[in-house]
Structures are given as C-alpha cells and as structure tokens.
Amino acid sequence: MNRNRKGASRRQETIRPWTYAKARAALPYLASIVRSLREHRLEALRYRLAAQRLADRPGRPDRKALIAHEEALRDARQAEERFAEALAELEAIGVYCLHPVHGRALIPFVYNDQLAWFVYDLFDPEPLRFWRYHNDPIETRRPVTLAQKGTAEQTTPWA
C-alpha cells in the first residue's frame, strides 16, 4: 500500500547541532522561552478545566454561566495560541520541548558521531546537568562530563 499519495513528500527536518558552550551561553534566553511555555500551558489547562467545570454543572445553565463558559474557552484558546508561538520560537532555534509543565527541553548535539541531546531543566540549579542519546529511552539521563562539553578542537565543523 502506497502511503505517499498524490506526490506528497515527507517533510525532512535538518537538526542543527549545538555545542555545550553555545548551549550555556543561550541559557538565559532558553529559560525565558521555557518559562513562557510552562506558564502558557498551565494557563490554558486552568481555563480548560474551568470551562469543563462550568459545562459539567447540573441543570440548565443561565446566561451568566453561558458567558463564563464562553470566556473560559476563549481564554484557553488565547493561552494555547501564546503557547504555540513560544513553541515555534523555541523550535526556530533548534531546541525541542520535552515537557512544558516540567520545564524540560532538548538541545541537540553530536557525540561519538551520534545524535544526542542535552536535557535542559528549568528547575535544576544546573540546567544542563544531563544528556541522552537520541535512541535512549526518553527518561534516560546521563551526567554531562568533559567529553560532552568538548573543546574548540573537538567540535564538529557545522556546529
């Protein structure tokens, strides 16, 4: 069975690897974006929950309840749009959100000629403490050592 109908091509994305030094230098900017992602996601969840609670009330809703429900849905949509904008900003610099509420993101780099990821943690006092290979289970955390930090001579030419 041909899954690629009507000449639609698969979108291929090129991942631009970072160096540890570049990732460290970008930490304030990353913290700002990841914090915004978290806030927008929590805000959207809060408004969705409020809308759900209003919809689940027993009996026929009055005018006030209908307006409150619509406002909660509108506010949730706006928060989700802000979340999408912040996510696009993060992905534009080649960083990927792992878990917005936990404040985790993945920064690509190359180690031993394999794709690997620095695990950024917004709430960790040392936000780039761990890394993982691309093929590792998502919960894998390896401590960052001098080998992953690299030196100017060890960085790849495209980084």
Side-chain angles (χ1 to χ4, degrees):
M1 172 187 262
N2 185 5
R3 294 179 177 213
N4 200 3
R5 296 184 194 162
K6 297 184 182 179
S9 62
R10 280 191 156 155
R11 192 178 125 210
Q12 208 171 15
E13 186 174 341
T14 303
I15 296 176
R16 192 176 65 222
W18 290 55
T19 63
Y20 184 79
K22 288 181 183 179
R24 293 279 309 167
L27 285 179
Y29 184 60
L30 289 174
S32 173
I33 297 173
V34 173
R35 191 173 293 111
S36 292
L37 278 171
R38 182 176 191 278
E39 290 169 2
H40 297 319
R41 173 60 81 206
L42 289 173
E43 184 180 22
L45 290 172
R46 185 181 75 219
Y47 286 124
R48 287 279 174 208
L49 180 61
Q52 187 63 44
R53 286 180 177 164
L54 288 167
D56 289 345
R57 282 185 177 170
R60 186 175 175 171
D62 59 0
R63 182 177 187 276
K64 183 179 174 184
L66 289 172
I67 291 171
H69 181 257
E70 285 303 314
E71 286 177 352
L73 289 175
R74 183 195 67 228
D75 291 341
R77 280 191 300 275
Q78 289 173 346
E80 288 165 357
E81 288 170 7
R82 289 189 298 272
F83 174 82
E85 290 169 4
L87 185 61
E89 185 176 353
L90 188 69
E91 290 176 352
I93 61 171
V95 177
Y96 302 90
C97 184
L98 179 61
H99 197 295
V101 174
H102 292 163
R104 292 194 192 117
L106 298 173
I107 305 168
F109 73 102
V110 176
Y111 183 64
N112 289 339
D113 294 326
Q114 294 184 48
L115 176 60
W117 303 91
F118 291 117
V119 180
Y120 172 81
D121 189 340
L122 179 66
F123 299 108
D124 194 328
E126 190 181 329
L128 290 179
R129 185 188 314 207
F130 300 108
W131 70 281
R132 58 180 289 273
Y133 282 113
H134 181 70
N135 293 328
D136 284 343
I138 200 73
E139 60 277 348
T140 300
R141 302 284 185 270
R142 302 168 193 259
V144 173
T145 63
L146 290 175
Q148 290 81 40
K149 292 179 183 180
T151 63
E153 295 79 40
Q154 295 173 329
T155 57
T156 57
W158 59 84

